[in-house]
Amino acid sequence: MELISISDVRAAAADIAGHVLRTPLLRTGWDADLWLKPESLQPVGSFKLRGATHAVARLTAAERARGVVTHSSGNHGLALAYAARAAGVPCRIVVPEGAPAAKVDRIRDLGVEVLLVPPPRRGPEAERIAATTGAVLVPPFDDRRIVAGQGTIGLEIVEDLPDVDVVLVPVGGGGLSSGVATAVRALRPGAVVIGVEPDLAADARDSLAAGRVVVWGEDATYRTMADGLRLPPSELTLAHLLARLDRVVTVTEEEIRAAMGRLVRDARLVVEPSAAVAVAARLFHAAELPAGRTVAVVTGGNVDPAVLASVLVP
């Protein structure tokens, strides 16, 4: 399988320039060797805007007329809806039942069609819509355009911290970690790129160990509060992770909650559970990580207010 290259990531960076926020690196006050990459500051509240914007930019005129469709627990759907509206492209989003209401409401606010389905039906329903309407399917992570777009985060990290030693990146379906690892490996070969995922949804860890996609199933992964990390990698993303990710560490639900609280109180960042896992790894598993200048990717801030309150109130 052909993997994306740093040239693909640079092309994505050109496509999204002026449409996506170039987020800063924020040095933390509690750890002299830790910087945060706060993608929660994007206009849609997550890194997903990068891949979605790149994917929409690559549509032909005929494809733009037919529109786009995807399935998403929230952030990718919100990002695609935003990017499609900005480009004047029709958009439909298939959302699994149980997705955070805050994310679903924001998708609807962008004026796109939202279809709620049982979680196992999310992918098949999006495929059905694409087949019957001619809309272009833009998957949340299983797409070269998406991987390249998310990889622009790695490009910016190395540009802003050229001597970075460690990059910690959340792993769900693997689009983000595939793209970031691609960019960092190409530009800073000596750096270590480590994926982080919940103990309760460690299918990427198991897939890397097995050398094939291992599916836990959403009945199992729905136990984690990190709703953006519940899906396994695809064949495409696993190929990238096997080639370019150093390893995966996992964190507990309690560690995720504590990391969310630290980010809100001490970094003044509103974050969702999935966004806190990289910081949780640094806070609670430092002994498992290499020493040195470390960047934790903070992926999004579209958190349900009740969840946020639960981690802030003793």
Side-chain angles (χ1 to χ4, degrees), residues 6 17 26 37 39 41 48 63 66 94 99 111 133 142 151 156 158 168 219 223 232 236 260 283-285 290 303:
I6 188 60
L26 305 178
K37 181 69 167 167
E39 289 296 297
L41 302 180
K48 293 284 191 176
E63 289 171 336
R66 295 196 300 270
V94 179
T133 68
D142 187 25
E156 293 174 11
V158 178
L168 303 175
D219 286 344
R223 296 174 299 163
L236 173 68
M260 286 180 67
L283 288 173
F284 298 102
H285 299 269
V303 60

Side-chain angles (χ1 to χ4, degrees), residues 185-206:
R185 283 285 189 202
L187 301 173
R188 174 71 169 160
V192 176
V193 184
I194 297 175
V196 188
E197 64 181 344
D199 283 340
L200 296 183
D203 34 21
R205 177 200 64 192
D206 291 354

Side-chain angles (χ1 to χ4, degrees), residues 154-172:
L155 190 69
E156 293 174 11
I157 288 172
V158 178
E159 287 176 350
D160 290 349
L161 190 66
D163 54 355
V164 61
D165 297 306
V166 183
V167 177
L168 303 175
V169 56
V171 183

